[in-house]
Amino acid sequence: MEASPQWSQVERRDSWQQSVTSAKLPFLVCSSEELRKHPGHRSRAEMGNFHPTIKRHHDFDAERDAKKLQKACKGMGTDEKAIIEILANRNSDQRQEVQKKYKSLYGKDLESVLKSELNGNFEKTALALLDRPCEYDARELRKAMKGAGTNESLLVQILCTRANQQIVAIKQAYKRLFERDLESDVKSDTSGSFRSILIALLQANRDEGLEINEDLAGKDAKELYEAGQGRWGTDELQFNVVLAKRNYMQLRATFKAYEVLHGKDIEDVIKSETSGNLKKAYLTLVRCARDCQGYFAKRLHKAMKGAGTDEDMLIRILVTRAEIDLQTIKEKYQQMYSKSLVDAVKSDTSGDFCKLLLALLH
């Protein structure tokens, strides 16, 4: 157990309250109302000014697109450029309309046609774009749990980074696609405290407001201390309640309160008090609460760092974030690594796969 901090609890509490009242904390600069009025505010689950790279195509015609795709796949050779132009410049709803129109015009599934025409990572990305984001996530989760062994990192990357509405949609898509219950599969494929946090997240009960309750931040910080640093062993239940249920602004306030009251950053506490998949899950939740777009920028950097490229990670992030905050992730990447994400992708990928990813980043 840690030695007791040099400050008394009273001194730390007073310091925390003073820092709140003097509004020195970075996340208290804007009021909740100001944040709501902010032009970049798109979701109560993820705060801040952030932008997608793909929006609804203004001059959209499903029939015209379906005919272009048919022409691109007909005869000798494939017109990959035409396929990229359509898939990367229509939003998910529009791509669904194109698929329906294609089926009604030609009596074939666009997915099976593209499967027969494309290959490799280009094919993987194109097929991922034909799914709704919730369907793509559901397929990835099924892949993570199917057969021998479980890809726990993939479970963390998806379930620890999605908002309530996305979680609900993923559960429904999983049921529809596989006639299985996602929660039941997660229960049978995981165990212990790691299972508990994933099941808590699958309830989709996070407060998605923007309000900060200072008293609750102090109370949660105290209870997290008593559940971790302040005891032998760790009481994961308290961590689960806070990390799976509080809104992101509230969590930022709690992490700051913890640091002021107990003299330690919450990430350092998690690293010293937990291990393995539970540590990965908790750190992902904390990092997403602090800076969701920064978290994804780091994952992209990791996917392209050193020898070899994690193409699956690149596809997953670019496809699932394109209509949410990919433009902002690009900006974060530039700030963090002094290199553009476009240049990083260019140097780590090639061919039509590279062209499609760059089109998603346009």
Side-chain angles (χ1 to χ4, degrees), residues 209-220:
L210 299 171
E211 296 74 22
I212 296 168
N213 180 329
E214 293 146 22
D215 292 336
L216 180 62
K219 177 174 172 284
D220 280 347

Side-chain angles (χ1 to χ4, degrees), residues 43-253:
S43 161
R44 293 172 69 82
E46 297 171 274
M47 279 64 63
N49 186 3
F50 55 88
H51 302 286
T53 54
I54 292 183
K55 296 174 186 174
R56 189 167 180 81
H57 190 64
H58 66 281
D59 184 29
F60 174 64
D61 182 331
E63 185 167 331
R64 184 177 61 206
D65 283 351
K67 285 177 177 174
K68 276 186 186 173
L69 287 169
Q70 170 67 0
K71 188 181 173 189
C73 298
K74 201 177 172 186
M76 295 292 289
T78 307
D79 184 354
E80 289 87 357
K81 189 179 175 185
I83 293 168
I84 291 168
E85 193 276 322
I86 291 169
L87 293 184
N89 290 286
R90 310 292 183 267
N91 72 8
S92 181
D93 288 341
Q94 291 174 326
R95 290 191 292 264
Q96 298 304 310
E97 287 182 53
V98 172
Q99 287 185 83
K100 283 178 191 166
K101 183 56 74 174
Y102 190 94
K103 180 82 179 257
S104 72
L105 287 173
Y106 305 108
K108 292 183 284 190
D109 285 319
L110 180 58
E111 182 185 353
S112 58
V113 171
L114 292 184
K115 267 184 185 173
S116 67
E117 294 290 327
L118 314 178
N119 56 52
N121 290 310
F122 179 46
E123 179 196 338
K124 269 190 201 174
T125 314
L127 296 181
L129 287 165
L130 291 185
D131 272 332
R132 293 187 184 279
C134 62
E135 292 167 344
Y136 176 70
D137 279 343
R139 289 186 202 280
E140 289 288 283
L141 289 168
R142 183 74 192 118
K143 188 169 78 178
M145 293 182 283
K146 197 176 176 184
T150 304
N151 184 343
E152 290 89 353
S153 292
L154 186 46
L155 296 183
V156 167
Q157 284 169 42
I158 295 173
L159 297 178
C160 294
T161 62
R162 302 303 190 247
N164 291 346
Q165 196 179 348
Q166 291 170 304
I167 295 276
V168 171
I170 290 165
K171 283 161 74 174
Q172 290 168 348
Y174 194 90
K175 189 87 168 172
R176 190 170 66 247
L177 291 170
F178 308 112
E179 296 181 348
R180 299 174 70 93
D181 181 69
L182 178 57
E183 196 172 317
S184 299
D185 280 356
V186 169
K187 274 181 185 168
S188 64
D189 267 62
T190 57
S191 60
S193 301
F194 179 58
R195 172 167 61 194
S196 299
I197 186 62
L198 296 185
I199 296 302
L201 292 166
L202 281 168
Q203 304 318 302
N205 278 336
R206 186 181 299 285
D207 165 24
E208 293 191 337
L210 299 171
E211 296 74 22
I212 296 168
N213 180 329
E214 293 146 22
D215 292 336
L216 180 62
K219 177 174 172 284
D220 280 347
K222 177 175 178 285
E223 288 179 359
L224 288 177
Y225 175 77
E226 288 167 358
Q229 254 186 297
R231 61 174 276 158
W232 292 105
T234 308
D235 175 9
E236 288 87 3
L237 183 63
Q238 191 54 43
F239 275 83
N240 291 359
V241 168
V242 174
L243 293 177
K245 291 193 172 183
R246 305 288 185 253
N247 76 53
Y248 279 1
M249 296 295 270
Q250 183 68 33
L251 284 174
R252 292 179 200 178

